[in-house]
């Protein structure tokens, strides 16, 4: 898991690859050309590590989105027209390029997001894997089903829905965007991507690599800017047929309203407050490994993080002690250091939100046994990993998505209590169950109100499986053919075998 290169080498690579972003403003990518905003507006991009200015970035608005949507509309017929086999080759070429530039992508991503290099190295390669997986499926996207009756043969076909908008968050921006962009392009759609304003850089790299790989100009466009301007315009644009959105639940609600007048298809991957349920009969050492990994990897800025640790009362004290020892030993540091396990949070606003939740938990009467007060530096974005004990089920720390390195422990008595507690949230993304009783594992998995359950495992993503959430965690599923259902229209064709009876209204 740890980065293959040294701290010094990562620094040297980061300096080399960030230099261009410091010397010239980052433009939009519209119709294959890097362009400034039509208004000339830019915003400043800061590194989460020390606040240093990484450069300026074009701040798009309605006109830039319109230009990108027009290019995506124009490019659609030809890209769709080359067929799945043609797209398969181009997308494999793009995956090759991503693999070749994985170190560049990883160091830029680390500097732009604060995410440790040990995770960003693999995230860049996961992006390539996503393109390969959907590239291989591209030739079969149009395939449908045969549904014959005695009198008619029905068959279904699928075709790309058209130009789509992809709006992504800042936590693991490169890898996350490929979950959406890879299947969209494989299906034959063209894309306008609006990346998050707090981590814009790797979206531009992906757009450039796509052009270099032979993705025609206009097929993948990037418009930078803020949610309320560029993002909003994209969701409202009449040529954009669908929006694939990853972000906060409250933003999903706003997008649903914004997209209503143009009746867009929507796919939402939203927030989570995911339970990891540890029964007394579990392999406690492995459960500990997984619980710590799922909340403290990616700085806890992870939609599927195990932010609520539900522990059976009979093992609670022992498990909490072992947990606290492990969390105290986590290595907080510079994200380019391969030894670092936790880096700085993305932005001062987000840091304050996370610290606010921890302070609020203490004010509410919970106990912080690790982290909390001993912040690395009050002015930086670093937040030491936090374990919160003795929280009640109604406290904000036990219910809200904190999206940082903060783990709240809640005890439960028995299986029914565990399920009730796990489901007592507005979210329903993922759940993790630890038990050696296979019947119980299946029962709990069945009863959890979540889109994904892992039993005796951390989150291991298998691309053919569906990814997504229930309740306020999302609408729709990614992965396998579920992705193509979103990016295509299904058509049914019914053909009569012969002269079946047709009602003869008006006949004499
Ligand atoms: P966010 O909702 O603030 O922003 C996400 C994107 O939406 C950004 O690009 C932003 O500019 C844009 N946006 C904001 N307002 C908009 C509007 N009115 N119209 C159109 N676009 C708008 O989310 P964030 O803070 O960047 O990301 C963190 C959130 O993402 C967390 O809640 C996390 O759980 C969620 N997330 C979910 C998944 C998943 O798969 N379920 C994965 C990663 C992150």
């Amino acid at each position: 898991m740890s980065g293959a290169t040294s701290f010094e080498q990562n620094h040297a690579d980061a300096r080399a690859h960030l230099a261009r972003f410091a010397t010239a403003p980052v433009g939009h990518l519209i119709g294959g050309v890097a362009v400034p905003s039509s208004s000339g507006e830019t915003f400043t991009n800061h590194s989460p590590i020390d606040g240093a200015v990484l450069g300026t970035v074009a701040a798009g608005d309605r006109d830039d989105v319109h230009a990108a949507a027009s290019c995506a509309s124009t490019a659609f017929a030809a890209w769709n027209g080359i067929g799945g086999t043609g797209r398969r080759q181009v997308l494999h070429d793009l995956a090759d390029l991503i693999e070749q530039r994985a170190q560049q992508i990883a160091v830029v991503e680390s500097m732009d997001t604060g995410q440790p290099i040990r995770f960003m190295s693999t995230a860049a390669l996961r992006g390539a894997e996503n393109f390969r997986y959907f590239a291989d499926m591209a030739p079969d996207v149009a395939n449908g089903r045969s549904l014959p009756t005695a009198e008619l043969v029905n068959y279904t076909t699928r075709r790309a829905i058209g130009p789509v908008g992809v709006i992504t968050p800042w936590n693991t921006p490169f890898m996350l965007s490929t979950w959406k962009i890879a299947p969209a392009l494989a299906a034959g759609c063209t894309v306008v991507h609006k990346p998050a304003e707090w981590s814009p850089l790797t979206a531009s790299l992906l757009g450039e690599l796509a052009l270099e790989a032979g993705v025609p100009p206009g097929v993948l466009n990037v418009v930078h800017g803020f949610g309320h301007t560029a993002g909003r315009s994209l969701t409202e644009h009449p040529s954009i047929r669908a929006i694939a959105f990853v972000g906060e639940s409250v933003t999903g609600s706003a997008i649903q309203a914004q997209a209503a007048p143009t009746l867009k298809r929507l796919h939402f991957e939203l927030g989570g407050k995911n339970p990891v349920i540890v029964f007394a009969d579990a392999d406690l050492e492995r459960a500990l490994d997984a619980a710590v990994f799922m909340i403290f990897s990616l700085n806890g800025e992870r939609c599927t993080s195990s932010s609520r640790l539900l522990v059976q009362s009979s093992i609670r004290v022992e498990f909490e002690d072992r947990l606290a020892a492990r969390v105290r030993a986590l290595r907080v540091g510079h994200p380019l250091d391969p030894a670092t396990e936790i880096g700085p949070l993305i932005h001062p606003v987000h840091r304050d939100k996370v610290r606010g939740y921890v302070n609020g938990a203490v004010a509410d009467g919970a106990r912080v046994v690790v982290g909390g007060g001993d912040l690395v530096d009050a002015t930086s974005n670093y937040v030491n990993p936090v374990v919160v004990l003795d929280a009640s089920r109604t406290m904000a720390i036990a219910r809200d998505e904190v999206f940082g390195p903060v783990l709240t422990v809640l005890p439960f008595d028995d299986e029914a209590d565990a399920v009730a507690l796990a489901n007592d949230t507005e979210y329903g993304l993922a759940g993790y169950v630890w038990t050696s009783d296979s019947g119980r594992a299946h029962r709990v998995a069945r009863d959890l109100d979540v889109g994904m359950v892992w039993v005796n495992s951390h989150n291991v993503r298998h691309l053919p499986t569906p990814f997504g959430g229930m309740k306020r965690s999302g609408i729709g599923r990614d992965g396998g053919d579920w992705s193509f259902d979103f990016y295509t229209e299904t058509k049914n064709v019914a053909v009569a075998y012969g002269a079946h009876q047709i009602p003869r209204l008006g006949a004499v």
Side-chain angles (χ1 to χ4, degrees):
M1 179 64 77
S2 66
T5 46
S6 67
F7 194 8
E8 294 69 29
Q9 185 60 50
N10 288 334
H11 261 301
D13 289 345
R15 266 196 305 278
H17 294 304
L18 286 169
R20 55 170 281 209
F21 299 117
T23 47
V26 178
H28 310 300
L29 191 68
I30 299 179
V33 182
V35 291
S37 285
S38 56
S39 65
E41 291 292 317
T42 59
F43 63 92
T44 305
N45 183 26
H46 295 271
S47 171
I49 302 165
D50 52 8
V53 173
L54 296 176
T56 56
V57 181
D61 62 19
R62 191 165 293 276
D63 291 344
D64 308 297
V65 167
H66 180 64
S70 302
C71 287
S73 298
T74 306
F76 175 66
W79 178 244
N80 193 37
I82 67 167
T85 311
R87 292 193 294 273
R88 175 174 62 187
Q89 185 55 54
V90 178
L91 297 179
H92 269 293
D93 292 347
L94 175 52
D96 290 344
L97 279 180
I98 292 172
E99 279 172 5
Q100 287 162 25
R101 311 278 174 82
Q103 167 70 356
Q104 175 186 3
I105 295 164
V107 294
V108 170
E109 191 87 309
S110 267
M111 292 296 288
D112 207 14
T113 62
Q115 294 285 8
I117 191 74
R118 64 166 58 218
F119 304 124
M120 292 306 95
S121 305
T122 50
L125 295 173
R126 284 270 308 281
E129 222 177 282
N130 290 343
F131 274 104
R132 284 201 200 291
Y133 175 77
F134 288 109
D136 284 336
M137 291 179 80
D140 296 325
V141 172
N143 291 353
R145 297 180 63 190
S146 168
L147 302 161
T149 66
E151 290 157 342
L152 296 118
V153 62
N154 289 269
Y155 63 89
T156 66
T157 59
R158 293 194 298 195
R159 69 174 187 209
I161 191 170
V164 299
V166 172
I167 303 179
T168 49
W170 43 258
N171 56 329
T172 52
F174 184 86
M175 201 282 292
L176 266 184
S177 71
T178 66
W179 271 0
K180 306 291 178 186
I181 293 171
L185 296 185
C189 295
T190 52
V191 171
V192 178
H193 178 203
K194 207 302 278 175
E197 54 271 38
W198 285 352
S199 61
L201 299 183
T202 52
S204 288
L205 292 182
L206 179 60
E208 291 166 10
L209 290 178
L211 280 175
E212 201 177 325
V215 174
V219 170
L220 173 57
N221 306 275
V222 181
V223 177
H224 290 290
F226 299 101
H228 61 277
T229 51
R232 181 178 186 122
S233 301
L234 188 56
T235 62
E236 292 174 343
H237 199 282
S239 309
I240 296 295
R241 303 297 313 134
I243 295 285
F245 170 72
V246 185
E248 287 195 32
S249 305
V250 65
T251 315
S253 299
I255 290 177
Q256 211 161 27
Q258 292 161 201
T262 49
L263 284 176
K264 283 189 176 46
R265 185 180 290 181
L266 300 172
H267 185 174
F268 288 164
E269 305 272 10
L270 308 174
K273 187 72 177 175
N274 312 295
V276 50
I277 306 171
V278 182
F279 287 95
D281 63 7
D283 180 333
L284 296 186
E285 192 59 21
R286 285 177 63 75
L288 186 62
D289 287 345
V292 169
F293 177 76
M294 283 312 302
I295 181 64
F296 296 111
S297 57
L298 301 177
N299 298 341
E301 297 164 326
R302 176 176 198 148
C303 58
T304 51
S305 73
S306 56
S307 48
R308 285 188 298 155
L309 176 59
L310 279 46
V311 188
Q312 194 151 23
S313 301
S314 56
I315 55 159
R316 178 165 80 116
V317 174
E318 177 203 345
F319 201 78
E320 284 175 350
D321 287 349
R322 287 163 74 174
L323 171 71
R326 286 287 289 278
V327 177
R328 275 191 201 99
L330 287 171
R331 290 181 288 269
V332 180
H334 195 290
L336 292 181
D337 184 342
T340 291
E341 293 169 323
I342 298 196
L345 299 186
I346 182 77
H347 193 276
V349 169
H350 185 58
R351 171 206 65 199
D352 289 347
K353 174 184 155 186
V354 172
R355 288 178 180 173
Y357 270 113
V358 177
N359 294 337
V362 173
D364 287 345
R367 199 157 51 91
V368 170
V369 288
V370 186
D374 59 332
L375 301 167
V376 174
D377 165 3
T379 61
S380 81
N381 289 355
Y382 284 92
V383 173
N384 274 334
V386 178
V387 175
V388 179
L389 304 182
D390 300 341
S392 78
R393 300 178 180 196
T394 55
M395 286 180 191
I397 198 79
R399 306 189 73 81
D400 294 359
E401 184 186 45
V402 177
F403 218 56
V406 180
L407 177 58
T408 303
V409 185
L410 298 163
F412 67 85
D413 295 328
D414 55 21
E415 192 178 310
D417 190 31
V419 170
L421 176 55
N423 287 340
D424 185 18
T425 165
E426 293 185 315
Y427 295 104
L429 188 58
Y432 305 87
V433 184
W434 286 87
T435 177
S436 58
D437 178 335
S438 63
R440 169 187 279 157
H442 287 293
R443 285 192 302 275
V444 175
R446 177 194 64 197
D447 293 341
L448 290 180
D449 298 335
V450 298
M452 299 169 285
V453 179
W454 279 270
V455 176
N456 295 333
S457 176
H458 64 311
N459 172 339
V460 181
R461 181 88 181 97
H462 180 46
L463 287 173
T465 61
F467 184 103
M470 298 182 183
K471 302 197 283 191
R472 283 181 68 78
S473 289
I475 299 174
R477 297 292 182 268
D478 271 321
D481 202 51
W482 285 277
S483 294
F484 290 132
D485 265 348
F486 182 72
Y487 296 108
T488 59
E489 291 282 15
T490 297
K491 178 185 290 184
N492 187 67
V493 179
V495 181
Y497 283 121
H500 66 282
Q501 173 113 34
I502 300 175
R504 303 191 66 229
L505 301 185
V508 283

